[in-house]
Amino acid sequence: MAPFSKAGAALAALRADLSGDVFAPGDPGYDEARKIFNAMIDRRPAVIAQCEDEADVVRSVRFARDLDLKIAVRGGGHSVSGMSLNDNGLVVDLHRMHTVTVHPGSEAVRIEGGALMSHLDHATQPYGLATTGGRVSTTGVGGFVLGGGNGWLDRTFGLAVDNLLGVELVTADGSTVLATDRENPELFWALHGGGGNFGVATALTLKLHPLPELSIALLMYRPNAGPDVLRIYREVIENGPSEVSGAVMYTTGPPEEFVPQHMVGKRLIAALLTYVGGEEDLHKLAQALVALPHEAEILTAIPYPDLQCLLDNPPGMRNYWSAEFLTGLPDDLVDVFCALGESVPVPTGTRHVLFPGGGAIASGPVRFPVPHRDAPWGVHPFGIWENPADDERCIQWVERVRAEVRPWRTGAVYLNFIGDEGGDRIVAGLGAENLRRLSAVKAEYDPDNVFRFNHNIRPA
């Protein structure tokens, strides 16, 4: 931006007015400020506004509107397709806004828009409370919740949006709005799955649940045990209580102390059971998995924040993900899943994940735009690697998984698990009827589609 142009004057004013920092190309720290989780994304915004509070967000949005700049919003920066970054536009960076305020008496928590799961979980744990979070500690709470939100606790406590009590939003004209069941209820409905289409979420309030005990069983097997592992795992989940969840995954053995040395760098299959309860009861649920010959075993009580860190991925890796929800898990699909697992690219961080639905997900409120609620299982090919030379084989493997499970898919999708896969997938993630209603809400709050760096809902 030229220093004496309208844009240059506006930028100088933004630098002066913002409590946080402002970065433009050429500034010291600019390249660091534009880094996000997925190293495949390399974009150069015109301005990055690292906001300290809601007033900073308002100033930043108004700055962008005055100059007709595109706006991207960065919470945790975990969007696999890099939706939290743009070229030649403004990035509203919320990462400094991560205060979490717990209200234990009312079992609620207010989370600022830049908070990560680690901020939320560490704040609520001292009170013996928790809410459904993602499956890693580095995910941004805002994007996760507004996109629907499934995780280790969802079969017990419901999806993250089922626990949403309120959203504080800065809209496209720089106004501030509160959305709850009673105040702006149609907007509140739209925020249950509609993502960042309607404004910048500067804070969210979520319902909390007592979580006095949490236990896990993690078992690692050689990959040829896959069909037996999946069939037993299926029985544990489908016949067990809603307090049990987890995932099965093929992956490369990481260099962690709980992985036997002879399995590090080698393909393996891991079965993880998470249980809202004590390890003695979990041991009974896991008996058949424990009885299978395995290479490693952990069965223990664990603090929820520690579980959230168990599968953390380092930033700066290359990422390509997708997902499909499944109508069931019959034996022929078990065989297909395991055959795909035998081809997981190794040695990379890539994971071939199967996770359960059901429980409180299926019994939760059907009025929200979350069409995958009734799916009993989901598959999540999660490509993550370091070397650009692996781009082709990892991306092709993810697409192969999607193609080969197609006969069993429900047609719905969890948008937080996918990148930019086209308009049909947005319809699949929200539902055609819901999308018409969402478009009307979009037209009211963002008629110019200012917030379009997302799984975009066009204004009606």
Side-chain angles (χ1 to χ4, degrees):
M1 291 187 178
F4 300 108
S5 66
K6 174 186 174 183
L11 178 61
L14 184 68
R15 291 187 193 275
D17 293 343
L18 218 69
S19 299
D21 289 328
V22 177
F23 296 92
D27 288 346
Y30 170 80
D31 285 329
E32 186 64 28
R34 69 186 182 91
K35 285 183 181 178
I36 55 174
F37 180 78
N38 188 357
M40 295 182 75
I41 309 300
D42 183 19
R43 296 177 184 151
R44 300 185 63 83
V47 180
I48 301 170
Q50 293 186 343
C51 301
E52 293 277 0
D53 53 29
E54 181 184 74
D56 276 359
V57 175
V58 170
R59 293 183 188 103
S60 299
V61 169
R62 290 177 177 171
F63 163 83
R65 296 306 310 275
D66 286 346
L67 297 179
D68 197 26
L69 290 176
K70 300 172 290 186
I71 300 177
V73 181
R74 174 179 177 161
H78 244 258
S79 163
V80 66
S81 57
M83 294 174 182
S84 49
L85 205 61
N86 60 25
D87 283 316
N88 305 314
L90 170 75
V91 173
V92 178
D93 186 336
L94 305 177
H95 85 272
R96 296 186 180 192
M97 297 172 58
H98 56 72
T99 299
V100 178
T101 306
V102 182
H103 302 285
S106 55
E107 295 189 342
V109 58
R110 180 183 182 273
I111 310 110
E112 288 190 326
L116 305 180
M117 288 299 161
S118 57
H119 297 124
L120 169 59
D121 298 332
H122 283 287
T124 59
Q125 197 218 349
Y127 300 96
L129 299 169
T131 194
T132 299
R135 292 175 172 86
V136 296
S137 69
T138 53
T139 301
V141 176
F144 166 78
V145 173
L146 300 183
N150 71 30
W152 304 126
L153 301 179
D154 54 12
R155 280 173 45 87
T156 310
F157 300 144
L159 298 171
V161 283
D162 298 343
N163 295 284
L164 185 60
L165 300 176
V167 182
E168 298 163 43
L169 206 70
V170 175
T171 59
D173 63 359
S175 300
T176 58
V177 173
L178 176 64
T180 69
D181 257 335
R182 295 186 175 183
E183 193 166 348
N184 300 300
E186 188 70 359
L187 174 61
F188 187 56
W189 171 85
L191 292 167
H192 286 72
N197 272 281
F198 309 101
V200 185
T202 55
L204 302 90
T205 301
L206 296 172
K207 180 181 178 181
L208 295 173
H209 304 266
L211 185 65
E213 288 185 287
L214 181 70
S215 307
I216 63 166
L218 175 63
L219 296 109
M220 298 180 186
Y221 308 83
R222 293 184 184 274
N224 60 4
D228 289 335
V229 172
L230 255 72
R231 287 177 172 88
I232 292 172
Y233 194 90
R234 177 184 61 193
E235 296 305 310
V236 172
I237 293 293
E238 293 183 353
N239 296 320
S242 61
E243 286 80 10
V244 66
S245 189
V248 175
M249 70 189 75
Y250 284 86
T251 189
T252 302
E256 302 285 353
E257 61 180 37
F258 58 85
V259 180
Q261 188 59 41
H262 68 278
M263 299 298 288
V264 173
K266 304 290 179 61
R267 186 179 290 113
L268 59 81
I269 181 170
L272 173 65
L273 289 175
T274 62
Y275 181 63
V276 178
E279 58 184 292
E280 184 177 339
D281 288 338
L282 178 58
H283 195 280
K284 296 173 185 175
L285 289 166
Q287 275 181 344
L289 286 168
V290 174
L292 273 181
H294 52 277
E295 304 297 314
E297 173 188 333
I298 300 172
L299 206 162
T300 184
I302 187 172
Y304 180 52
D306 292 354
L307 169 61
Q308 291 285 66
C309 297
L310 193 65
L311 299 177
D312 273 357
N313 298 302
M317 302 286 281
R318 304 174 76 78
N319 287 258
Y320 187 85
W321 321 332
S322 194
E324 295 288 353
F325 282 99
L326 308 171
T327 56
L329 191 59
D331 285 346
D332 50 355
L333 177 53
V334 166
D335 294 338
V336 168
F337 181 88
C338 292
L340 289 163
E342 293 278 7
S343 65
V344 169
V346 295
T348 70
T350 295
R351 297 168 185 164
H352 182 39
V353 183
L354 179 79
F355 59 93
I361 306 169
S363 63
V366 297
R367 66 185 185 276
F368 299 135
V370 185
H372 55 76
R373 183 179 293 281
D374 59 352
W377 295 93
V379 62
H380 182 26
F382 186 94
I384 179 167
W385 64 98
E386 186 173 9
N387 189 341
D390 286 326
D391 285 4
E392 184 175 359
R393 72 171 180 139
C394 290
I395 291 171
Q396 286 182 351
W397 177 82
V398 170
E399 292 301 324
R400 181 184 163 201
V401 172
R402 279 194 63 202
E404 295 201 19
V405 304
R406 187 166 287 123
W408 298 276
R409 69 178 183 175
T410 67
V413 68
Y414 176 43
L415 294 176
N416 281 352
F417 273 177
I418 72 169
D420 184 1
E421 296 184 3
D424 288 348
R425 292 285 269 176
I426 295 173
V427 176
L430 297 169
E433 287 297 321
N434 291 326
L435 191 57
R436 283 186 275 275
R437 184 176 168 188
L438 288 163
S439 294
V441 180
K442 178 77 168 179
E444 180 177 355
Y445 288 93
D446 185 13
D448 300 321
N449 202 13
V450 170
F451 298 108
R452 59 184 179 272
F453 286 89
N454 42 48
H455 292 293
N456 194 232
I457 298 166
R458 295 187 178 277

